[in-house]
Amino acid sequence: MAPVTPRHGDGRHESAGLLVTGAGGFVGGRVVRHAGRLPDGGPPLRVLAHRRALPGAPGAVEVVAGDLGDPGSLRGLCAGVGTVVHCASLVGGTEEECEAVNVRGTEALVEEARRAGVSRVVYLSTASVYGRGTFREARPEDLVRNPGSPTSRTRAAAEDLVLAAGGTVLRPHIVYGTGDRWVGPGLLALVRAIGGGIRGRPALVSAVDVDDLARLVLGAALAPGDRLTASVYHANHPRPATADALLRGFAGAAGLPLAEGVATYERAAERLRALGRSTNPLDMMATDHWFASDRIWSDLGLAAGAGFEEGLARHAGWYRSTLRSK
């Protein structure tokens, strides 16, 4: 798959369509909404979803029913498409389930893109492909992937398929905003389990508003080829949040006052293990997970805007209604 080259003197793409997979998901749904609001109308929009009815999709969108777990359902999907935005992944399945969707499904999608002459594929991956560790202003070229779960292992394999085809990979870390069913509820559960904050651990953590991530995904998909200077990008706000701000933000949205650091890391880990819970959420809040993300904003010429506190405020209504019911 050759890199995109501008077809017009002003750098615009020809009017080949844009395909978005995972259109019914948290990030994919926001990408579709933002694509429907492009100032010039944007390219014709096609989305892959499990069902032909997709609530909230722009009126002009073409919805195609299909399933990455059933490669046969993808035949012909990319006909007339110039760019593929691949936001669909199975999270939390078994090794076999993740292999079927994230690897074999991506393989079939990339083959369809190749067959149709698609110019660019952008894959939304995750910083979890790096596994556990401490990351301080880390850049993709300086890190080695070390995925530790079926989800992250198979998403790393999907990355390889996209990169081998000349595509682009985006790795966000923590994604928050309207529609979030993982981050806010997970951190709130952590606060309740350990009884407050973590003492003496001012960790820096990369995060991104789901709407800002959608802007980055679309920007990477539609930018002229010479704007992209890398094949793999971290896709977060360039300024990390503190772990304390994250915990306080989601606790506050749930109306739960967060006490000052009441537990050391060791004590908090003991509490989680006693409850039969993983220490993974605690580990992410107890040590730096700062993935340098300035390059993608610079390459795309986009302004990052406000950081976590202001971003969370934009989604306050969603979190208030969702977290207080937990």
Side-chain angles (χ1 to χ4, degrees), residues 127 130 133-143 173 203-207 234 236-241 287-295:
Y130 298 121
T134 296
F135 306 94
R136 296 189 178 96
E137 206 170 1
R139 300 189 179 279
E141 59 269 25
D142 298 328
L143 296 176
H173 180 43
L204 294 174
V205 181
S206 287
H234 290 153
N236 304 284
H237 193 282
R239 185 174 72 251
T287 188
D288 289 347
H289 283 70
W290 176 8
F291 300 96
S293 302
D294 53 306
R295 187 174 192 174

Side-chain angles (χ1 to χ4, degrees), residues 4 10 23 38 42 58 72 103 123 151 156 161 187 206 225 227 252 293 310 318:
V4 170
D10 60 1
L38 289 171
V103 182
Y123 176 51
T151 297
L161 291 164
L187 293 184
S206 287
R227 294 297 297 270
S293 302
E310 297 87 348
W318 160 265

